[in-house]
Amino acid sequence: MKKWMFFPAALGASLGLSATLHAAQPRAVDVLGFDIAGVKLGMELAQVRSAMAAYFGIPPSAVELEYQAQPSPLTGTELPMRLRYEKEGEEVLVNLEPRLPINAKAPTFASTQIVRRWPQGSRSKEQVFEGARARYGAPSGVVDQRMLWCAKPSADPAVVCLQGNPAVLAVSAKGEALFDIRGVDARVEAEMAARAGSGRNAQQSP
């Protein structure tokens, strides 16, 4: 089974993006209402699965659910990590994060990152950019191989949407990604607190 890890800091590398930037007038865009393959940020796990199934024309049970490799300190169990499906070279992956505060007996999960890769060589950069403009409107910033949309774009063309924007949409010739890092940050903080609490309890035990 292929394992994919996606982090906002490495998003450009995961989609084969360049770091060369062109100056552009920044445009503020709220990306929280956007979707990729019918999936929006903040959707529940079951909703994501249904949306992916509808997009690919498959039963929801065919969408693969991957779990974390190690038990989470929040529940003591391995938590769902992402949903994934690939068909004819097109792949959609949706990263999941637990809703906090977590209910260890009945945890719920929401989408925090959606990535779609289309078959290699199936579209030119010009075709991708034209389609992205038609669907999402003018971007907040333009990179030589990607377009970025965010709510608080920087006037500095070397930064664009890469700072101060928890939610960002990125489109390149290889694919598109929509992510909101707040869920990841909240889960990491909660896990650190849980580990610290377990450590204190262990030290106080006779």
Side-chain angles (χ1 to χ4, degrees):
M1 180 187 299
K2 290 190 295 183
K3 296 291 185 181
W4 298 92
M5 293 300 293
F6 296 97
F7 301 95
L11 187 62
S14 74
L15 291 177
L17 305 177
S18 169
T20 305
L21 300 174
H22 298 292
Q25 182 66 33
R27 172 177 177 256
V29 182
D30 182 2
V31 302
L32 294 178
F34 290 166
D35 75 89
I36 291 179
V39 181
K40 294 183 178 182
L41 293 170
M43 275 187 169
E44 298 284 349
L45 191 159
Q47 292 177 312
V48 173
R49 206 166 208 166
S50 294
M52 291 176 65
Y55 177 77
F56 282 108
I58 57 172
S61 59
V63 179
E64 181 182 2
L65 176 60
E66 299 177 359
Y67 285 78
Q68 294 178 348
Q70 301 295 327
S72 168
L74 299 177
T75 62
T77 61
E78 297 174 1
L79 299 179
M81 181 172 60
R82 73 173 58 89
L83 288 160
R84 174 185 174 275
Y85 191 77
E86 182 177 355
K87 181 178 181 180
E88 298 176 353
E90 181 178 7
E91 182 180 39
V92 174
L93 306 99
V94 180
N95 283 11
L96 304 165
E97 292 294 339
R99 292 196 184 277
L100 301 173
I102 195 168
N103 181 343
K105 295 182 179 180
T108 57
F109 302 86
S111 56
T112 59
Q113 184 163 330
I114 309 147
V115 175
R116 179 165 72 116
R117 296 191 181 97
W118 30 77
Q120 185 175 4
S122 62
R123 311 180 191 188
S124 67
K125 184 179 71 174
E126 291 72 21
Q127 290 174 324
V128 170
F129 278 21
E130 182 179 353
R133 285 182 180 275
R135 179 169 184 179
Y136 304 117
S140 302
V142 179
V143 187
D144 59 347
Q145 294 186 44
R146 64 176 167 176
M147 306 169 83
L148 300 172
W149 289 258
C150 58
K152 298 178 180 179
S154 171
D156 182 353
V159 177
V160 190
C161 295
L162 303 181
Q163 294 180 2
N165 284 278
V168 176
L169 169 69
V171 176
S172 81
K174 292 187 176 182
E176 57 184 352
L178 177 62
F179 63 87
D180 187 340
I181 65 173
R182 288 173 292 191
V184 177
D185 291 344
R187 188 254 306 161
V188 170
E189 184 177 344
E191 288 182 339
M192 292 176 62
R195 291 190 182 96
S198 297
R200 288 193 296 269
N201 292 337
Q203 292 175 358
Q204 293 172 2
S205 299

